[in-house]
Amino acid sequence: MEENKIIYLDNASTTKVNDKVLQAYIDAKKNFFANPSSIHVEGVRAQRALDEARNSILFSLKLKDKEVIFLSGATEGNALALKGVANRYKNRGNHIITSNVEHPSVLKNLEQLEKNDGFKVTYLPVNEEGKINLDDLQNAITKDTILVSLMAVNNESGAINDIRKIGLILKEYPKIIFHVDATQAIGKENIDYQNADLITFSGHKIHGLNGTGALIKNKNIELYPLIDGGGQENNYRSGTNDVAGAISLALALKIALDEQKETQNHVALLYKELYQYIDSNKEEYIINSPKDGSKFIFNFSLLKKKASVVVEALSNNKIMVSSTSACHSKKENKSEIIYRMFNDESRARNTIRVSFSNKNNLEEINELISELERITKEVKNR
Ligand code: PMP
């Protein structure tokens, strides 16, 4: 299949790497191949390059007082944040608050902490806009609460949590550490992370490389490491550093943030085009994404067809979209997130997620629309 013929609209699951980022990786891999822990000159050069990447990330995000821990991606970042806090601060309390629409890399770790380590977890429900109620959050806090973990942008619905406001509420409780899974938000949405204590993101969601990511941390917070060994990354994540990966991550982030405004305007146009088509065909589709959600993700359900059939038909015509998120779609075809928003089994089983990037254009969206028109008229099922 020729790559340039593909219409790739699954950018929430992963993005195409930016050529400049890939080139920066290759260059850095050649220039800074030494182990930054080595004390010779080449090691020192590699260490300096690694620290520059670290500073660049903090500078890009305007979070200069925080600290960067390089790791393999958001799954590891979420695990380190949650288990790292829980195990380090369990003497302070055993209660954690999250929402019931978090990514599995949050929910599964919390389930383990409940099952194996005696933690109690409150899973806040969301409304039809995919958002938690801030009064519910406040009411869930107890004297034993040590951690609140909430995502900035939901990976299936695109719902945006008010991270600034939540952070301000939690500031009143100095014992509580606030973790934000910003994987779908960083480089895309304007979110103020100043009041977040821990922030996770992944390189491959912003046209960077798979296997790169970071956990940003307030300096005054300690974490119990998941991976022990040589003591790299300030003892929080042992293992020989991936200097080139770190450099590529810093560049991917810088580009995403430099271009963020332009990208936002661009994807908003694509979103609007698709929204108008879906919204004007109420006998075929129902919209799941909230009006005030991220314009990078548009989620709707099919009322008369099976999503899996439509995704496959689109895919056969070189249009790539998702039914549920990639984290679930091979295992089962029900979107837990859409189910939790609307409590409607059929709606949750027939979701389509279209996710945009600045590499998409209106022509592609119009092609998607005409294919949807054709498929919904032609494809027989149910
Ligand atoms: N959190 C969210 C909200 C995500 O969308 C994803 C990726 N689907 C992750 C965490 C995990 O990221 P990664 O696969 O890069 O580890």
Side-chain angles (χ1 to χ4, degrees):
M1 200 184 283
E2 243 190 272
E3 194 203 35
N4 60 9
K5 294 254 179 73
I6 290 172
I7 297 180
Y8 184 76
L9 290 163
D10 193 19
N11 292 282
S13 103
T14 196
T15 56
K16 191 176 167 198
V17 71
N18 181 316
D19 288 341
K20 285 187 204 150
V21 173
L22 186 56
Q23 192 56 50
Y25 177 86
I26 294 168
D27 294 344
K29 193 75 196 136
K30 290 178 183 165
N31 288 336
F32 304 108
F33 66 87
N35 189 326
S37 302
S38 299
I39 58 168
H40 50 61
V41 171
E42 284 305 300
V44 171
R45 259 181 15 94
Q47 181 65 52
R48 201 169 298 142
L50 185 64
D51 288 337
E52 272 171 26
R54 217 183 285 289
N55 291 336
S56 162
I57 287 175
L58 295 176
F59 183 81
S60 293
L61 289 168
K62 300 191 174 71
L63 294 173
K64 279 196 244 171
D65 295 334
K66 300 197 198 279
E67 181 182 336
V68 173
I69 304 167
F70 286 116
L71 25 75
S72 65
T75 297
E76 190 186 341
N78 286 340
L80 177 59
L82 302 172
K83 287 184 173 158
V85 165
N87 289 322
R88 171 63 186 81
Y89 294 106
K90 59 185 167 199
N91 58 330
R92 287 190 188 170
N94 69 345
H95 181 233
I96 298 171
I97 301 171
T98 190
S99 84
N100 68 4
V101 295
E102 297 299 310
H103 189 266
S105 58
V106 166
L107 295 178
K108 298 271 178 191
N109 280 295
L110 293 179
E111 281 166 24
Q112 281 184 10
L113 287 167
E114 275 182 300
K115 214 154 89 190
N116 304 332
D117 301 290
F119 280 87
K120 295 195 165 40
V121 180
T122 300
Y123 298 90
L124 299 173
V126 293
N127 60 18
E128 293 201 344
E129 270 144 22
K131 280 193 260 195
I132 61 158
N133 178 322
L134 297 191
D135 289 336
D136 287 350
L137 170 63
Q138 204 135 16
N139 292 334
I141 295 171
T142 72
K143 64 176 184 15
D144 290 322
T145 310
I146 58 165
L147 174 63
V148 171
S149 179
L150 291 167
M151 67 206 320
V153 171
N154 186 277
N155 51 308
E156 290 195 34
S157 69
I160 304 176
N161 274 322
D162 192 339
I163 295 302
R164 196 186 81 86
K165 217 175 196 174
I166 294 169
L168 285 175
I169 292 172
L170 296 177
K171 256 190 143 169
E172 302 296 313
Y173 303 86
K175 202 170 90 171
I176 298 179
I177 291 169
F178 181 28
H179 167 244
V180 178
D181 176 359
T183 312
Q184 298 289 351
I186 275 196
K188 297 177 182 181
E189 300 300 329
N190 310 327
I191 288 174
D192 179 353
Y193 298 103
Q194 288 300 337
N195 294 320
D197 298 304
L198 293 161
I199 305 146
T200 308
F201 74 101
S202 222
H204 72 101
K205 307 279 186 190
I206 49 170
H207 307 282
L209 296 167
N210 296 66
T212 66
L215 177 64
I216 297 173
K217 176 178 98 48
N218 269 4
K219 285 187 178 148
N220 63 352
I221 289 169
E222 290 175 13
L223 300 170
Y224 196 92
L226 293 180
I227 303 172
D228 256 319
Q232 289 88 349
E233 295 302 281
N234 221 356
N235 281 323
Y236 291 124
R237 208 279 193 172
S238 285
T240 303
N241 298 91
D242 177 6
V243 180
I247 289 171
S248 76
L249 181 67
L251 181 62
L253 180 66
K254 182 178 181 327
I255 294 172
L257 291 168
D258 285 350
E259 295 177 353
Q260 184 168 289
K261 199 163 175 32
E262 210 182 311
T263 307
Q264 280 174 344
N265 292 338
H266 181 71
V267 301
L269 284 179
L270 310 182
Y271 186 103
K272 193 171 161 206
E273 189 79 3
L274 184 59
Y275 179 96
Q276 281 173 346
Y277 164 70
I278 298 294
D279 193 43
S280 60
N281 283 279
K282 292 197 168 56
E283 69 293 350
E284 291 286 350
Y285 312 110
I286 186 160
I287 295 173
N288 298 323
S289 285
K291 277 225 158 73
D292 61 353
S294 169
K295 299 297 171 270
F296 286 79
I297 297 176
F298 183 60
N299 194 309
F300 60 96
S301 290
L302 300 156
L303 297 173
K304 298 180 182 163
K305 303 269 184 253
K306 269 194 178 142
S308 54
V309 173
V310 172
V311 169
E312 196 181 327
L314 287 170
S315 164
N316 289 339
N317 285 299
K318 299 186 169 55
I319 300 177
M320 310 299 148
V321 301
S322 270
S323 45
T324 64
S325 80
C327 317
H328 298 283
S329 52
K330 284 199 183 136
K331 282 178 270 164
E332 56 164 326
N333 56 5
K334 175 179 164 188
S335 163
E336 279 301 330
I337 289 160
I338 303 304
Y339 183 71
R340 283 165 189 178
M341 283 167 71
F342 300 103
N343 200 20
D344 179 335
E345 191 78 29
S346 166
R347 189 165 176 174
R349 287 202 179 277
N350 291 294
T351 64
I352 303 267
R353 180 186 70 178
V354 179
S355 46
F356 309 99
S357 86
N358 56 4
K359 308 262 187 292
N360 297 121
N361 58 45
L362 262 184
E363 219 172 82
E364 293 179 331
I365 305 309
N366 286 320
E367 209 154 315
L368 167 67
I369 290 171
S370 46
E371 276 305 307
L372 281 171
E373 259 305 273
R374 190 186 64 74
I375 293 164
T376 50
K377 302 251 148 42
E378 283 176 14
V379 176
K380 291 199 195 83
N381 65 65
R382 289 216 200 168

